[in-house]
Amino acid sequence: MTGGCELCDSSRMNIQSVKGMNDTLPSEVGEWQRVEAAIRDVTRAYGYGEIRTPILESTDLFLRSIGDQTDIVQKEMYTFVDQGGGSLTLRPEQTAGCVRAGVQHGLFHNKQARMWYYGPMFRRERPQRGRFRQFYQFGVEGFGWPGPDLDAELLLLCRRLWRALGVDDVKLHLNSLGSTAVLERYRGQLVEYFTAHEHELDEDSARRLQTNPLRILDSKNPKLAPLIASAPSIIACFDAAEREHFDGLRRRLDQADIDYVIDSSLVRGLDYYTSTVFEWTTDKLGAQSAVCGGGRYDDLVESLGGKPTPAAGFALGVERLIELVRLADSNPPAPGPDVYLVGLGDSGSLSALVVAETLRDRGLEVVNHCGGGDLKRQLRQADRSGARFAVIIGEDELAAGKVTLKSLRDASPQVSVAGDDIGQILCERLESAP
Ligand code: HAM
């Protein structure tokens, strides 16, 4: 065995996490839980039910949904052949899994469905700020509604989540790709236009001209910006029904006071979209500006073996959202328990064990000191734990039937209180403390 590993920077002595895949440490997990609680509240408020699908799916599922010419499928999937000979892939996104599950379990059969999911996705991209190889998505999908009312509902749900988390630095970009027929017509126009300007294209875009011309519109190369700005607009190819859908969505967004910009270069990186597409972006996160993306995918259920079922949804990158929450929240709650129990000597530590249980019965977060030591040592650890209060039980306290209550976050004097009253007093002090 050799010591090093290109994938995970590991040596024989010191195995590291896989590149682009992060640990979330106990000190960081509070922010995640706050976002997760907001997600649960918001999805419940709109009547969406949670779905959990496997992290591994057949590779075919992603080839047939995301599209075999997309960057995700061409370059970014973690795919392997299992012992049974089948090709499996770690999910790079979950819309395909939701559709697969819905078809498999008859969820769309003469029924409509609102569902959400949360969990890790895997893409082998070049890691950088806001871009990882394992990252978390929260996603929402609605099945069975063809109109712009569903599209608007999804965007309202997003806005409610931003507001719940105090995020206001996000901007909504909106476009529509029309039907498959429109998209085909438009693709032809784009090929004609970019072929006439082929000498101006960079290497990436020249390749995309052959494989996926729409994605040229998505190029981040500033030198191509004027060429892209003058490209034909898809909206000009729409028929009356598509125009009505797009206008219907815009009317609803205006009614709900949601600001947006029409962005005709927004095409998204997955092939299943038709009609409405959108992205919420921010300028606070550097290059990885897309916080959330989605749209309609009216043909996907049928192409994965179900009955024709209109659908729309979105997914957001949880790491990116958490970074925005962090930037917006200048005064995050200090991580740490409510109370740290200090038990001195054998009898003090025995009593602390019991008092800690009675405090937990009251719903308090309590850390009971382990490992013994004198008062100074135990109080140092109490302070390090981030606790708001220490409750001290030593021989004097035991003899008097009392405990000592000490605030760890301000200079208020410590007090001696009856052992039976400590729960009540702590609850009151915690309630009144800022
Ligand atoms: P997506 O645009 O590929 O769409 O991903 C959605 C969001 O996931 C992005 O806006 C970004 O915030 C986050 N994201 C993507 N890749 C990474 C990465 N490597 N590291 C960190 N965050 C990342 C979808 O996945 C579609 N399934 C969305 C959808 C649902 N459309 C309809 N329904």
Side-chain angles (χ1 to χ4, degrees), residues 72 93-95 117 123 125 130-132 135 137 140-141 268 270 272-273 279 290-295 297 313-317 319-320:
I72 297 179
E93 59 95 79
Q94 206 172 334
T95 308
Y117 52 85
R123 296 184 193 176
E125 296 190 79
R131 191 164 73 186
F132 311 104
F135 59 97
Q137 278 188 348
V140 169
E141 315 287 353
R268 309 274 302 127
L270 306 97
Y272 48 61
Y273 292 109
E279 253 172 33
V291 183
C292 170
Y297 49 95
F314 70 79
L316 66 79
E319 288 84 353
R320 294 182 193 180

Side-chain angles (χ1 to χ4, degrees), residues 5 39 48 72 78 82 84 98 118 134 136 150 157 182 207 210 213 264 272 279 283 326 344 347 372-373 416:
C5 165
I39 285 171
Y48 284 74
I72 297 179
Y78 286 94
D82 88 339
C98 289
Y118 176 91
Q134 175 178 313
Y136 279 72
L150 174 65
L157 193 156
V182 166
R207 182 176 49 79
Q210 309 307 323
S264 55
Y272 48 61
E279 253 172 33
D283 55 13
R326 220 177 269 150
L344 300 171
S347 43
S416 174

Side-chain angles (χ1 to χ4, degrees), residues 216-291:
I216 300 176
L217 299 176
D218 215 16
S219 167
K220 303 285 178 281
N221 183 348
K223 288 195 190 129
L224 293 185
L227 187 64
I228 289 169
S230 308
S233 155
I234 192 165
I235 295 179
C237 302
F238 283 3
D239 65 19
E242 281 142 8
R243 218 174 281 277
E244 176 50 31
H245 186 104
F246 199 48
D247 290 347
L249 174 58
R250 294 182 63 181
R251 276 199 308 278
R252 283 169 175 80
L253 295 181
D254 292 341
Q255 183 75 22
D257 240 353
I258 295 189
D259 287 339
Y260 58 88
V261 289
I262 305 275
D263 181 349
S264 55
S265 69
L266 177 64
V267 291
R268 309 274 302 127
L270 306 97
D271 277 357
Y272 48 61
Y273 292 109
T274 50
S275 185
T276 310
V277 285
F278 58 85
E279 253 172 33
W280 293 87
T281 66
T282 178
D283 55 13
K284 298 276 180 228
L285 300 182
Q288 301 310 311
S289 59
V291 183

Side-chain angles (χ1 to χ4, degrees), residues 328-348:
D329 194 353
S330 54
N331 197 11
D338 298 320
V339 192
Y340 193 97
L341 255 291
V342 172
L344 300 171
D346 201 36
S347 43

